[in-house]
Amino acid sequence: MLEIRPTCENCNKALPYNSNEAMICTFECTYCTDCVALLKEVCPNCGGGFEKRPIRSKHLLKKYPVSTTQVYKPVNIEAHIKKLNSK
């Protein structure tokens, strides 16, 4: 089951469970759409792509609560782009 992390890992923007801006990779690294664009659609942690995070139905939130753990690890965008361009 998805954790549904509450914020963007790069800019710390709030991404509530019903956000249309939340994007995740296969390891659930969570970023907002603006940061995904800056990252050229490549996860800086695993190198994979991003997909829109599904929205958990409101009636399931009590039984399956979303994560409250914030992962805030700002990305050095310049270094990330340099790494992508060197491949």
Side-chain angles (χ1 to χ4, degrees):
M1 175 168 322
L2 294 176
E3 290 181 14
I4 313 289
R5 296 178 186 166
T7 59
C8 174
E9 289 186 28
N10 184 55
C11 71
N12 215 30
K13 179 180 186 174
L15 296 170
Y17 79 94
N18 59 350
S19 175
N20 286 316
E21 295 184 67
M23 304 290 286
I24 58 172
C25 74
T26 61
F27 291 97
E28 288 191 68
C29 299
T30 304
Y31 293 89
C32 68
T33 52
D34 291 338
C35 288
V36 166
L38 290 174
L39 296 168
K40 305 294 185 199
E41 307 273 337
V42 177
C43 179
N45 301 317
C46 70
F50 290 99
E51 294 292 332
K52 183 181 178 301
R53 184 181 72 192
I55 295 174
R56 184 161 297 158
S57 298
K58 197 171 188 175
H59 73 280
L60 294 174
L61 291 174
K62 186 173 182 177
K63 186 174 181 180
Y64 303 105
V66 298
S67 176
T68 58
T69 303
Q70 292 184 350
V71 178
Y72 182 53
K73 300 185 302 186
V75 178
N76 180 331
I77 302 292
E78 188 175 310
H80 177 72
I81 300 301
K82 187 176 180 178
K83 183 178 176 183
L84 292 178
N85 290 335
S86 69
K87 290 183 178 183

